[in-house]
Amino acid sequence: MSDRALIFIAPVLSVSPSWLNPGASVTLSCEGLEHQPAGWRFFWYKAVPDPSKWNQKPFYSYELLPGSTNGTEQNFIIDGPTHTAGFVCRAGRGEQLIYTDYSEPKLIWSADPRPAASLSVNPDRVQHFRSESVSLSCEGNSTGWRVRKFAETNQLSYFTCSYQRTTTGSACTINLSWYGSGVFWCESKSGEFSNAINISVHSKIPVHPVTEGDPVTLRCRNGTQNLLSKVFFYHNDKLIHNDSREELKISAVSKSDEGFYKCQHLGKDSPRSWMSVRGEEEENV
């Protein structure tokens, strides 16, 4: 089907959920045409990594999804995707099918236990300091892996770094002061995706470091800042108490209490937070 005309209106694609359990379905919704004339039909595409476009934008070629050839309603359900994948949409109307532009790609990340490649981070933790460097390693059967990043600005990006080739993949080191927080994953020239890893970058020095001997109380809040009860607290990924509680009290903090803390509520973990403990002599400097 050839394009007779193109309208430079880019709809907005939303995906739900964006993090999938293996075999779960995902709903795509092509939005942003509410103030345009009626009669749109929607077309859905898979975003496939394209090595010829790796230094351009977009980074992908688009393949029309089955069931979308003649256009559909505004929502489109994909049953049982098992791998991380990217999608775009656009709309067309009229007998000659006047098209909008493509939406920005959106990705869904799957918990597939056997992804095409495995991305690992060293040091292996969720929270990192801005002054640190981390090593990202892509291991898989394909060649030509490249790291992608989905930033907090909801924009896809890519970056290059000094790769060290291994037998099955690639590894590189990045300075977090340049790249910051985001979701990282690998893509291969053959169109495969790795698992995705969420990297949270924080300042090296906490806003309020605590001093040895001080009392400390840790509490867990949800996204609307409501205090949660019946939570479990962890120190460096080790359960502190085997019973749930509303808060964790440390009567006199010591250097051994320094480290990463997280809470667990209804089976879901919070991001890990670093608590820095300084000696009394540092307090008096």
Side-chain angles (χ1 to χ4, degrees):
M1 184 181 297
S2 61
D3 296 358
R4 297 298 299 270
L6 182 69
I7 299 177
F8 291 99
I9 301 170
V12 177
L13 175 64
S14 65
V15 297
S16 179
S18 57
W19 292 86
L20 298 175
N21 292 320
S25 298
V26 63
T27 299
L28 309 179
S29 181
C30 203
E31 303 167 346
L33 301 178
E34 291 81 2
H35 302 294
Q36 299 298 319
W40 293 103
R41 286 180 284 165
F42 297 89
F43 300 83
W44 312 89
Y45 304 80
K46 184 177 182 180
V48 180
D50 187 340
S52 69
K53 298 182 178 182
W54 273 10
N55 294 321
Q56 308 173 24
K57 195 177 180 184
F59 313 119
Y60 306 99
S61 295
Y62 303 143
E63 296 179 355
L64 190 65
L65 291 175
S68 174
T69 304
N70 297 319
T72 70
E73 298 296 324
Q74 189 173 3
N75 296 323
F76 188 73
I77 297 176
I78 302 175
D79 291 322
T82 57
H83 300 286
T84 294
F87 300 97
V88 297
C89 71
R90 68 172 174 171
R93 64 182 176 86
E95 293 184 1
Q96 302 300 321
L97 276 183
I98 301 174
Y99 287 94
T100 67
D101 202 353
Y102 292 99
S103 69
E104 285 287 324
K106 284 291 181 71
L107 278 89
I108 57 99
W109 288 280
S110 173
D112 180 8
R114 293 179 295 177
S118 176
L119 171 63
S120 60
V121 176
N122 185 24
D124 184 14
R125 59 177 186 250
V126 174
Q127 188 182 55
H128 299 263
F129 297 126
R130 191 168 297 278
S131 60
E132 291 181 328
S133 294
V134 301
S135 176
L136 303 174
S137 298
C138 301
E139 299 293 335
N141 293 326
S142 296
T143 59
W145 293 103
R146 175 161 291 192
V147 178
R148 295 284 192 223
K149 175 188 173 186
F150 187 78
E152 295 172 345
T153 57
N154 291 331
Q155 293 295 318
L156 287 168
S157 64
Y158 80 97
F159 57 89
T160 58
C161 56
S162 298
Y163 282 104
Q164 295 178 338
R165 300 296 175 183
T166 64
T167 303
T168 58
S170 303
C172 69
T173 300
I174 64 172
N175 188 324
L176 292 177
S177 64
W178 287 94
Y179 296 107
S181 301
V183 177
F184 293 77
W185 71 96
C186 302
E187 295 176 5
S188 75
K189 287 185 177 181
S190 56
E192 296 173 315
F193 291 82
S194 75
N195 60 305
I197 293 180
N198 192 354
I199 295 179
S200 179
V201 181
H202 301 268
S203 299
K204 180 68 175 178
I205 302 175
V207 178
H208 298 293
V210 297
T211 304
E212 283 186 293
D214 283 352
V216 173
T217 301
L218 302 178
R219 299 182 178 90
C220 191
R221 298 179 183 274
N222 61 15
T224 56
Q225 295 302 305
N226 293 321
L227 187 65
L228 299 175
S229 59
K230 297 183 179 179
V231 298
F232 295 92
F233 289 91
Y234 290 78
H235 177 220
N236 293 331
D237 291 327
K238 292 183 178 180
L239 183 63
I240 299 174
H241 299 285
N242 58 9
D243 61 320
S244 63
R245 53 190 64 200
E246 182 173 348
E247 59 187 18
L248 174 66
K249 290 186 176 182
I250 305 174
S251 58
V253 72
S254 66
K255 197 67 177 177
S256 64
D257 293 313
E258 187 174 82
F260 288 99
Y261 287 83
K262 70 178 180 180
C263 58
Q264 185 183 81
H265 179 65
L266 299 178
K268 296 183 178 180
D269 291 348
S270 72
R272 297 195 297 175
S273 295
W274 177 264
M275 184 175 73
S276 178
V277 180
R278 60 187 178 187
E280 293 183 6
E281 65 279 1
E282 298 176 74
E283 174 74 8
N284 297 324
V285 174

